[in-house]
mmCIF file of all heavy atoms in Angstrom:
data_model
loop_
_atom_site.group_PDB
_atom_site.id
_atom_site.type_symbol
_atom_site.label_atom_id
_atom_site.label_comp_id
_atom_site.label_asym_id
_atom_site.label_seq_id
_atom_site.Cartn_x
_atom_site.Cartn_y
_atom_site.Cartn_z
ATOM 1 N N ILE B 58 -123.282 -95.134 157.397
ATOM 2 C CA ILE B 58 -121.950 -95.621 157.773
ATOM 3 C C ILE B 58 -120.993 -95.370 156.607
ATOM 4 O O ILE B 58 -121.427 -95.284 155.451
ATOM 5 C CB ILE B 58 -121.944 -97.121 158.161
ATOM 6 C CG1 ILE B 58 -122.518 -97.999 157.040
ATOM 7 C CG2 ILE B 58 -122.703 -97.343 159.449
ATOM 8 C CD1 ILE B 58 -122.403 -99.491 157.321
ATOM 9 N N LYS B 59 -119.727 -95.228 156.928
ATOM 10 C CA LYS B 59 -118.736 -94.909 155.889
ATOM 11 C C LYS B 59 -117.403 -95.589 156.226
ATOM 12 O O LYS B 59 -116.951 -95.539 157.365
ATOM 13 C CB LYS B 59 -118.542 -93.382 155.858
ATOM 14 C CG LYS B 59 -117.765 -92.905 154.653
ATOM 15 C CD LYS B 59 -117.748 -91.376 154.617
ATOM 16 C CE LYS B 59 -116.862 -90.898 153.480
ATOM 17 N NZ LYS B 59 -116.653 -89.447 153.522
ATOM 18 N N ARG B 60 -116.805 -96.227 155.219
ATOM 19 C CA ARG B 60 -115.499 -96.857 155.409
ATOM 20 C C ARG B 60 -114.443 -95.769 155.560
ATOM 21 O O ARG B 60 -114.411 -94.815 154.772
ATOM 22 C CB ARG B 60 -115.213 -97.738 154.186
ATOM 23 C CG ARG B 60 -113.927 -98.533 154.255
ATOM 24 C CD ARG B 60 -114.068 -99.743 155.196
ATOM 25 N NE ARG B 60 -113.040 -100.737 154.879
ATOM 26 C CZ ARG B 60 -111.804 -100.727 155.389
ATOM 27 N NH1 ARG B 60 -111.448 -99.809 156.255
ATOM 28 N NH2 ARG B 60 -110.940 -101.656 155.032
ATOM 29 N N GLN B 61 -113.610 -95.910 156.591
ATOM 30 C CA GLN B 61 -112.536 -94.951 156.835
ATOM 31 C C GLN B 61 -111.194 -95.685 156.779
ATOM 32 O O GLN B 61 -111.161 -96.926 156.825
ATOM 33 C CB GLN B 61 -112.708 -94.289 158.214
ATOM 34 C CG GLN B 61 -114.056 -93.613 158.426
ATOM 35 C CD GLN B 61 -114.227 -92.333 157.622
ATOM 36 O OE1 GLN B 61 -113.288 -91.825 157.006
ATOM 37 N NE2 GLN B 61 -115.455 -91.801 157.624
ATOM 38 N N HIS B 62 -110.094 -94.953 156.694
ATOM 39 C CA HIS B 62 -108.781 -95.594 156.529
ATOM 40 C C HIS B 62 -107.728 -94.938 157.428
ATOM 41 O O HIS B 62 -106.572 -94.830 157.065
ATOM 42 C CB HIS B 62 -108.355 -95.535 155.056
ATOM 43 C CG HIS B 62 -109.336 -96.212 154.153
ATOM 44 N ND1 HIS B 62 -109.332 -97.577 153.917
ATOM 45 C CD2 HIS B 62 -110.404 -95.722 153.469
ATOM 46 C CE1 HIS B 62 -110.334 -97.887 153.108
ATOM 47 N NE2 HIS B 62 -111.004 -96.780 152.820
ATOM 48 N N ASN B 63 -108.172 -94.493 158.616
ATOM 49 C CA ASN B 63 -107.270 -93.709 159.456
ATOM 50 C C ASN B 63 -106.457 -94.527 160.457
ATOM 51 O O ASN B 63 -105.623 -93.966 161.151
ATOM 52 C CB ASN B 63 -108.070 -92.637 160.213
ATOM 53 C CG ASN B 63 -109.100 -93.241 161.160
ATOM 54 O OD1 ASN B 63 -109.818 -94.157 160.780
ATOM 55 N ND2 ASN B 63 -109.147 -92.758 162.381
ATOM 56 N N ILE B 64 -106.757 -95.832 160.589
ATOM 57 C CA ILE B 64 -106.039 -96.645 161.581
ATOM 58 C C ILE B 64 -105.393 -97.826 160.858
ATOM 59 O O ILE B 64 -106.090 -98.574 160.151
ATOM 60 C CB ILE B 64 -106.987 -97.161 162.689
ATOM 61 C CG1 ILE B 64 -107.798 -96.007 163.299
ATOM 62 C CG2 ILE B 64 -106.187 -97.887 163.771
ATOM 63 C CD1 ILE B 64 -108.761 -96.439 164.404
ATOM 64 N N PRO B 65 -104.082 -98.020 161.044
ATOM 65 C CA PRO B 65 -103.395 -99.115 160.341
ATOM 66 C C PRO B 65 -103.882 -100.499 160.808
ATOM 67 O O PRO B 65 -104.310 -100.660 161.957
ATOM 68 C CB PRO B 65 -101.911 -98.932 160.740
ATOM 69 C CG PRO B 65 -101.812 -97.594 161.367
ATOM 70 C CD PRO B 65 -103.157 -97.219 161.874
ATOM 71 N N ASP B 66 -103.813 -101.473 159.923
ATOM 72 C CA ASP B 66 -104.080 -102.889 160.255
ATOM 73 C C ASP B 66 -105.488 -103.127 160.795
ATOM 74 O O ASP B 66 -105.697 -104.011 161.633
ATOM 75 C CB ASP B 66 -103.067 -103.409 161.301
ATOM 76 C CG ASP B 66 -101.634 -103.210 160.829
ATOM 77 O OD1 ASP B 66 -101.387 -103.367 159.625
ATOM 78 O OD2 ASP B 66 -100.780 -102.872 161.670
ATOM 79 N N CYS B 67 -106.445 -102.355 160.307
ATOM 80 C CA CYS B 67 -107.755 -102.416 160.947
ATOM 81 C C CYS B 67 -108.811 -101.888 159.981
ATOM 82 O O CYS B 67 -108.603 -100.869 159.321
ATOM 83 C CB CYS B 67 -107.689 -101.540 162.203
ATOM 84 S SG CYS B 67 -109.226 -101.329 163.043
ATOM 85 N N GLU B 68 -109.942 -102.611 159.915
ATOM 86 C CA GLU B 68 -111.081 -102.139 159.108
ATOM 87 C C GLU B 68 -111.877 -101.143 159.952
ATOM 88 O O GLU B 68 -112.378 -101.505 161.016
ATOM 89 C CB GLU B 68 -111.934 -103.360 158.730
ATOM 90 C CG GLU B 68 -113.162 -103.045 157.898
ATOM 91 C CD GLU B 68 -113.990 -104.308 157.617
ATOM 92 O OE1 GLU B 68 -113.422 -105.426 157.585
ATOM 93 O OE2 GLU B 68 -115.209 -104.168 157.458
ATOM 94 N N VAL B 69 -111.968 -99.913 159.483
ATOM 95 C CA VAL B 69 -112.622 -98.857 160.276
ATOM 96 C C VAL B 69 -113.868 -98.344 159.561
ATOM 97 O O VAL B 69 -113.826 -98.068 158.354
ATOM 98 C CB VAL B 69 -111.670 -97.660 160.509
ATOM 99 C CG1 VAL B 69 -112.358 -96.568 161.334
ATOM 100 C CG2 VAL B 69 -110.389 -98.118 161.200
ATOM 101 N N TRP B 70 -114.941 -98.230 160.318
ATOM 102 C CA TRP B 70 -116.179 -97.613 159.817
ATOM 103 C C TRP B 70 -116.589 -96.495 160.771
ATOM 104 O O TRP B 70 -116.513 -96.652 161.989
ATOM 105 C CB TRP B 70 -117.308 -98.646 159.763
ATOM 106 C CG TRP B 70 -117.085 -99.746 158.774
ATOM 107 C CD1 TRP B 70 -116.328 -100.861 158.941
ATOM 108 C CD2 TRP B 70 -117.624 -99.817 157.451
ATOM 109 N NE1 TRP B 70 -116.359 -101.641 157.805
ATOM 110 C CE2 TRP B 70 -117.151 -101.021 156.867
ATOM 111 C CE3 TRP B 70 -118.470 -98.996 156.690
ATOM 112 C CZ2 TRP B 70 -117.482 -101.412 155.578
ATOM 113 C CZ3 TRP B 70 -118.811 -99.388 155.410
ATOM 114 C CH2 TRP B 70 -118.312 -100.576 154.857
ATOM 115 N N SER B 71 -117.044 -95.392 160.201
ATOM 116 C CA SER B 71 -117.688 -94.362 161.018
ATOM 117 C C SER B 71 -119.193 -94.484 160.847
ATOM 118 O O SER B 71 -119.680 -95.003 159.834
ATOM 119 C CB SER B 71 -117.229 -92.967 160.597
ATOM 120 O OG SER B 71 -117.658 -92.683 159.281
ATOM 121 N N CYS B 72 -119.922 -94.029 161.862
ATOM 122 C CA CYS B 72 -121.391 -94.142 161.867
ATOM 123 C C CYS B 72 -121.964 -92.842 162.408
ATOM 124 O O CYS B 72 -121.412 -92.239 163.334
ATOM 125 C CB CYS B 72 -121.787 -95.337 162.744
ATOM 126 S SG CYS B 72 -123.550 -95.494 163.053
ATOM 127 N N THR B 73 -123.093 -92.428 161.832
ATOM 128 C CA THR B 73 -123.713 -91.166 162.272
ATOM 129 C C THR B 73 -124.452 -91.313 163.604
ATOM 130 O O THR B 73 -124.919 -90.306 164.139
ATOM 131 C CB THR B 73 -124.696 -90.667 161.205
ATOM 132 O OG1 THR B 73 -125.609 -91.737 160.904
ATOM 133 C CG2 THR B 73 -123.972 -90.242 159.937
ATOM 134 N N GLY B 74 -124.568 -92.530 164.133
ATOM 135 C CA GLY B 74 -125.398 -92.755 165.305
ATOM 136 C C GLY B 74 -124.659 -92.728 166.626
ATOM 137 O O GLY B 74 -123.573 -92.147 166.760
ATOM 138 N N THR B 75 -125.254 -93.386 167.608
ATOM 139 C CA THR B 75 -124.743 -93.453 168.975
ATOM 140 C C THR B 75 -123.747 -94.618 169.098
ATOM 141 O O THR B 75 -123.670 -95.468 168.205
ATOM 142 C CB THR B 75 -125.898 -93.720 169.961
ATOM 143 O OG1 THR B 75 -126.359 -95.070 169.749
ATOM 144 C CG2 THR B 75 -127.068 -92.764 169.743
ATOM 145 N N PRO B 76 -123.026 -94.710 170.212
ATOM 146 C CA PRO B 76 -122.160 -95.874 170.429
ATOM 147 C C PRO B 76 -122.914 -97.204 170.326
ATOM 148 O O PRO B 76 -122.432 -98.151 169.696
ATOM 149 C CB PRO B 76 -121.602 -95.633 171.833
ATOM 150 C CG PRO B 76 -121.591 -94.138 171.983
ATOM 151 C CD PRO B 76 -122.822 -93.674 171.262
ATOM 152 N N VAL B 77 -124.101 -97.290 170.925
ATOM 153 C CA VAL B 77 -124.883 -98.531 170.850
ATOM 154 C C VAL B 77 -125.307 -98.816 169.409
ATOM 155 O O VAL B 77 -125.268 -99.963 168.947
ATOM 156 C CB VAL B 77 -126.101 -98.468 171.810
ATOM 157 C CG1 VAL B 77 -127.146 -99.517 171.460
ATOM 158 C CG2 VAL B 77 -125.634 -98.657 173.247
ATOM 159 N N ASP B 78 -125.712 -97.773 168.671
ATOM 160 C CA ASP B 78 -126.003 -97.966 167.241
ATOM 161 C C ASP B 78 -124.812 -98.593 166.528
ATOM 162 O O ASP B 78 -124.981 -99.448 165.651
ATOM 163 C CB ASP B 78 -126.275 -96.616 166.545
ATOM 164 C CG ASP B 78 -127.592 -95.974 166.924
ATOM 165 O OD1 ASP B 78 -128.516 -96.693 167.337
ATOM 166 O OD2 ASP B 78 -127.693 -94.734 166.795
#
Side-chain angles (χ1 to χ4, degrees):
Chain B
I58 56 174
K59 192 174 175 188
R60 183 76 159 87
Q61 304 288 351
H62 301 276
N63 63 314
I64 308 180
D66 305 323
C67 174
E68 180 183 333
V69 180
W70 294 81
S71 65
C72 172
T73 53
T75 70
V77 163
D78 289 336

